[in-house]
Amino acid sequence: MEKARLFDFNLTLPIIVAEFLFLMVALDKIYFAPLGKFMDDRDAAIREKLNSVKDTSGEVKQLEEQAAAVMKAARAEISAALNQMKREVALDLEVKMAEGRKKVEAELAVALENLERQKEETIKALDSQIAALSQDIVKKVLPL
């Protein structure tokens, strides 16, 4: 027998190479091809979901703009309704104040008339008392 050589090329090397190639092809067909297909499908699904999310973001912006427009219109409508209500309340208040003023002025006029009448009655009463007092004074001062 010859001395052992470092690289002995006999029939074992081609058999191991054939086994390696067979194992490589078998693993590619049985394990790596389905795994690659699964990962490609998963990647496609994720991209599709991302694209649909991007597409709906424009729709969401449009809906937000519509909501803002509706809110702005509602605020304007509420503001107009409040202003109209304020005007109506102010007019009603002015009418009630005018009625109150008229009522107070009428009562004041009646009270002033009563005071004027009482003043005239008091003056007449005082005139008659003055006349009576002046006659009493004249009788006491001038004895006749």
Side-chain angles (χ1 to χ4, degrees):
M1 189 171 186
E2 285 181 35
K3 286 186 170 181
R5 288 189 255 165
L6 186 59
F7 294 107
D8 190 15
F9 295 108
N10 55 9
L11 197 55
T12 308
L13 182 65
I15 291 173
I16 289 176
V17 167
E19 284 178 356
F20 179 75
L21 289 175
F22 174 74
L23 184 62
M24 188 174 72
V25 169
L27 283 176
D28 184 51
K29 297 293 180 188
I30 294 172
Y31 184 71
F32 292 116
L35 183 63
K37 184 178 182 302
F38 170 76
M39 291 180 71
D40 288 340
D41 292 342
R42 184 173 145 228
D43 186 46
I46 289 173
R47 287 185 193 278
E48 182 181 329
K49 287 180 183 177
L50 282 173
N51 287 336
S52 69
V53 167
K54 288 178 183 175
D55 291 342
T56 58
S57 68
E59 188 177 319
V60 167
K61 286 181 183 178
Q62 183 182 9
L63 290 174
E64 285 177 349
E65 290 171 359
Q66 287 177 352
V70 168
M71 289 297 291
K72 186 176 180 181
R75 285 187 182 126
E77 187 177 325
I78 288 172
S79 177
L82 282 175
N83 288 336
Q84 179 66 26
M85 189 182 301
K86 285 179 184 178
R87 280 188 235 117
E88 289 174 1
V89 168
L91 287 174
D92 191 33
L93 183 62
E94 286 179 21
V95 168
K96 287 182 180 179
M97 285 179 60
E99 290 174 1
R101 281 188 193 127
K102 287 179 183 178
K103 185 177 178 182
V104 168
E105 287 174 0
E107 289 176 2
L108 182 63
V110 169
L112 285 174
E113 285 180 21
N114 287 339
L115 283 175
E116 191 65 34
R117 194 175 335 113
Q118 287 177 358
K119 178 181 162 187
E120 289 175 6
E121 290 174 1
T122 306
I123 289 175
K124 287 179 185 176
L126 284 177
D127 283 342
S128 64
Q129 286 180 0
I130 290 174
L133 280 174
S134 62
Q135 286 178 1
D136 284 342
I137 293 173
V138 169
K139 285 182 186 176
K140 288 184 182 176
V141 172
L142 297 175
L144 285 177

